[in-house]
Amino acid sequence: ELKVEQNPLFLSMQEGKNYTIYCNYSTTSDRLYWYRQDPGKSLESLFVLLSNGAVKQEGRLMASLDTKARLSTLHITAAVHDLSATYFCAGLMEYGNKLVFGAGTILRVKS
Amino acid sequence: DVKVTQSSRYLVKRTGEKVFLECVQDMDHENMFWYRQDPGLGLRLIYFSYDVKMKEKGDIPEGYSVSREKKERFSLILESASTNQTSMYLCASSSSGAGWGEQYFGPGTRLTVT
C-alpha cells in the first residue's frame, strides 16, 4: 500500500532564503502532485509530475520527481512572505484514481 | 476552469441531527471524493465514487454514508452527527480520461457539531 511521508512538517524560514521540502513514497506511484493550502482555504494544485526526472517550475517554486529513489522535492528559492502556506504532496495509487496525501508541511516565511 | 462547489462554507449542527453536505462539479468528471481534514491528521479519505450510483469506502467511512445519483453531484451524509465529526470537509473530483489522477478541490465546509 502506498504511503507518503513529507518532511519537515514545519518550516520557519527567513525571507530571501532557500529551502527544500521532501516527499518520500513507499511503493510505485505513477504520478506525484503538489498542492498548496492557505489557512482556512481549500487545496490548490501546484504541480503535476508525470515521469522520472520531471521538473516543473512556477515562480520561486520548483518541483522534481525521482521515481527510482521514490522521492519528490519542492524547492523554494528566495522565499517571500506570500509563500507562507501548507504544502502537500500526494501520490497516485498504482491502481485506481485515489491519491495518498502526505501530512503536509507548514511553511512560515518571516521578514 | 474546473469548478467544484460545496453547498455550505460553514455549518453548525446539533448532536444527533442528520447532516447533508453536497458537492457539485461542472467538468463531467467520473470520480468524486470526500475527505475530512483535521489539524495534525492531514487529509483522510471518507468515501469515493467512480461512477453514478457507485461508491467505495475510504479510510474512515464509519458514521458516514454517501449518495451519487447524478454524475455531477456527490453527497456526504452524517446519519447522526456527533461532536467528533466536527471538522473541515473537502470534496474533490478528477477525470478518468485526459489529466486523470489530478484532483480538484471544492472550497470546503467547516462543520461544527455541538
Side-chain angles (χ1 to χ4, degrees):
Chain A
E1 186 179 321
L2 177 63
K3 293 191 188 310
V4 178
E5 197 172 289
Q6 273 180 252
N7 68 82
L9 298 183
F10 183 78
L11 178 54
S12 179
M13 52 191 298
Q14 294 285 338
E15 274 192 330
K17 298 290 188 184
N18 305 333
Y19 210 82
T20 300
I21 299 170
Y22 297 89
C23 176
N24 292 91
Y25 54 97
S26 59
T27 64
T28 302
S29 179
D30 283 344
R31 300 177 175 209
L32 201 291
Y33 303 84
W34 285 95
Y35 288 87
R36 169 182 171 143
Q37 186 179 37
D38 292 302
K41 301 286 180 67
S42 190
L43 275 74
E44 171 193 351
S45 180
L46 286 176
F47 299 111
V48 180
L49 302 169
L50 300 180
S51 59
N52 188 43
V55 177
K56 295 272 184 82
Q57 181 157 9
E58 179 79 31
R60 299 173 189 273
L61 300 177
M62 184 174 72
S64 65
L65 179 62
D66 180 345
T67 57
K68 291 177 183 170
R70 294 181 184 159
L71 171 68
S72 180
T73 60
L74 180 67
H75 187 72
I76 302 148
T77 301
V80 292
H81 181 72
D82 284 353
L83 290 178
S84 296
T86 300
Y87 293 86
F88 292 93
C89 64
L92 183 66
M93 290 186 70
E94 193 170 12
Y95 301 106
N97 287 285
K98 282 171 57 177
L99 292 183
V100 177
F101 284 84
T105 297
I106 300 172
L107 173 65
R108 293 288 176 260
V109 181
K110 300 184 291 186
S111 50
Chain B
D1 269 359
V2 177
K3 194 110 186 238
V4 181
T5 57
Q6 294 182 228
S7 49
S8 306
R9 293 299 305 275
Y10 300 94
L11 210 51
V12 180
K13 294 292 181 181
R14 294 196 181 275
T15 302
E17 278 193 83
K18 191 168 186 175
V19 181
F20 293 87
L21 303 182
E22 299 225 313
C23 175
V24 178
Q25 50 93 6
D26 66 358
M27 281 302 292
D28 202 34
H29 282 173
E30 294 80 6
N31 311 303
M32 296 188 75
F33 307 84
W34 274 107
Y35 296 90
R36 66 177 280 178
Q37 185 178 24
D38 301 287
L41 296 176
L43 273 79
R44 294 181 290 168
L45 182 63
I46 305 171
Y47 267 97
F48 59 104
S49 169
Y50 288 140
D51 201 350
V52 176
K53 296 193 186 296
M54 296 190 68
K55 61 187 178 187
E56 292 200 30
K57 293 180 180 178
D59 301 317
I60 51 162
E62 297 78 19
Y64 303 95
S65 62
V66 290
S67 172
R68 194 165 180 203
E69 296 295 319
K70 293 186 177 181
K71 190 175 185 181
E72 68 270 18
R73 190 179 297 267
F74 192 36
S75 301
L76 180 69
I77 304 152
L78 287 66
E79 297 290 342
S80 176
S82 64
T83 54
N84 63 13
Q85 292 179 309
T86 291
S87 186
M88 170 74 106
Y89 289 87
L90 295 169
C91 174
S93 72
S94 72
S95 171
S96 292
W100 67 278
E102 184 176 8
Q103 291 183 14
Y104 298 84
F105 284 82
T109 296
R110 187 164 293 283
L111 172 67
T112 302
V113 182
T114 61

